[in-house]
Amino acid sequence: MVTWTDFERATIQDIFSKIDYDIVGPDALSRCLIVYPWTQRYFGSFGNLYNAAAIASNPKVAAHGKVVLGGLEKALKNMDDIKQAYADLSVLHSEKLQVDPDNFKLLADCLTIVVASQLGKDFTPEVHAAFAKFLAVVVAALRKQYH
Amino acid sequence: MSLTEKDKAAVKALWAKISKSADAIGADALSRMLLVYPQTKTYFSHWPDTKAGSEPVKKHGKKIMGGVGLAVSKIDDLAAGLLELSELHAFKLRVDPANFKLLAHCLQVVIANMFPKDFTPEAHVACDKFLANVALALSEKYR
């Protein structure tokens, strides 16, 4: 059972209210595909991923980045039972998409870096720690249905 | 995943931009690591205070960035260049090498936070590879 302090709850809501979903999602996903190129294995149908410039301007990557952020919003709205809220998503990633769950951490790290670059001084160590905890819970929930 | 000439050039270019703020980067990254990954505090039980801004954290952050700067200058042969540091970490400090990843991540979060325009995806991948190679060089003498 994950328990959240008042500070953590407020901070995580605050982060999501401050970030631009249309920038953070696409940026984080394209960074993941650039910095950890083996993650491109899951996006064979996305067309041109040949270099950083192509990835950063690929419309399918951008669209999918927004889908990922939408998924995070689901966790945001169900913070007291992310495991339950993500049960179907976990099955999807495990059985249909067959994503190696170690990749979730890579995307989470890229998300943290993009949010850090967006929030500047507001991304204090305490805010960073709350966000890291949130992403760790999300990643654990996504791993839950892998058997 | 060894460093290409392009990676080395990107790392040197990034270092040129950020090195003036090395002390601040080191202190910030270290304090974030201690807060975000509390298990890392186990290596610093001899410090009275592990909070951001405390003297031991600032001093040690500076020391760490000295190591990073050394690594940049020895980028063509990290194993040889970081030999002494590797022996220190292997025989004296005995830091579990898994922790190098955690500090590397925090360093990059701080660089992205302080230098958002310079920490482009291209700079990020070169930096990530560089820090992974530094970690490898530091682990060289462990066994």
Side-chain angles (χ1 to χ4, degrees):
Chain A
M1 240 326 271
V2 184
T3 51
W4 303 98
T5 65
D6 290 342
F7 172 79
E8 285 165 346
R9 271 182 211 277
T11 296
I12 291 155
Q13 296 289 337
D14 193 48
I15 291 171
F16 277 85
S17 72
K18 283 195 173 100
I19 60 175
D20 186 339
Y21 284 30
D22 288 344
I23 291 179
V24 168
D27 264 11
L29 182 60
S30 61
R31 241 173 229 262
C32 190
L33 296 169
I34 291 166
V35 179
Y36 308 110
W38 52 94
T39 57
Q40 292 168 25
R41 72 189 307 282
Y42 302 108
F43 301 99
S45 65
F46 274 29
N48 187 358
L49 299 176
Y50 299 137
N51 54 42
I55 292 169
S57 58
N58 185 311
K60 285 185 170 173
V61 171
H64 199 68
K66 293 178 195 172
V67 167
V68 169
L69 246 293
L72 282 177
E73 253 223 319
K74 191 181 183 126
L76 185 71
K77 295 196 165 94
N78 293 279
M79 275 180 70
D80 288 311
D81 201 350
I82 294 175
K83 207 191 304 177
Q84 179 51 41
Y86 266 38
D88 288 346
L89 268 173
S90 181
V91 170
L92 174 77
H93 283 75
S94 154
E95 292 180 14
K96 183 157 178 264
L97 304 175
Q98 296 188 317
V99 177
D100 179 340
D102 287 349
N103 291 292
F104 302 147
K105 187 179 181 306
L106 302 180
L107 181 55
D109 285 352
C110 289
L111 257 160
T112 305
I113 281 172
V114 170
V115 168
S117 66
Q118 285 254 308
L119 295 186
K121 283 196 169 53
D122 289 347
F123 200 66
T124 63
E126 290 76 11
V127 167
H128 176 180
F131 192 57
K133 180 174 167 179
F134 174 72
L135 289 179
V137 171
V138 164
V139 165
L142 269 177
R143 294 187 78 117
K144 200 70 193 161
Q145 302 301 326
Y146 276 72
H147 304 295
Chain B
M1 295 187 241
S2 38
L3 298 171
T4 63
E5 288 311 311
K6 188 171 161 222
D7 292 326
K8 292 179 192 176
V11 167
K12 288 179 190 165
L14 183 65
W15 182 250
K17 294 198 177 97
I18 70 176
S19 56
K20 271 190 234 53
S21 311
D23 291 358
I25 293 171
D28 195 358
L30 182 59
S31 61
R32 277 171 199 268
M33 185 190 75
L34 295 166
L35 189 63
V36 178
Y37 307 105
Q39 68 270 24
T40 57
K41 287 191 292 187
T42 55
Y43 292 98
F44 302 101
S45 50
H46 56 288
W47 285 356
D49 189 358
T50 57
K51 289 204 188 47
S54 74
E55 274 314 304
V57 170
K58 283 203 291 208
K59 196 168 153 209
H60 201 67
K62 188 172 170 176
K63 199 184 275 189
I64 289 171
M65 290 309 279
V68 173
L70 174 68
V72 175
S73 73
K74 306 283 183 185
I75 202 168
D76 290 316
D77 192 347
L78 287 169
L82 299 181
L83 183 69
E84 273 182 41
L85 276 173
S86 180
E87 288 177 345
L88 175 73
H89 285 75
F91 304 130
K92 188 157 178 261
L93 304 176
R94 290 178 290 193
V95 175
D96 189 316
N99 293 292
F100 299 149
K101 277 199 199 83
L102 305 181
L103 182 57
H105 174 65
C106 290
L107 275 163
Q108 291 180 99
V109 167
V110 170
I111 297 170
N113 183 253
M114 289 172 65
F115 302 90
K117 285 196 175 55
D118 297 308
F119 202 61
T120 60
E122 291 85 343
H124 181 174
V125 58
C127 188
D128 198 68
K129 282 178 78 176
F130 169 67
L131 291 172
N133 277 278
V134 168
L136 211 57
L138 278 178
S139 324
E140 191 53 39
K141 290 297 183 188
Y142 271 62
R143 55 178 178 177

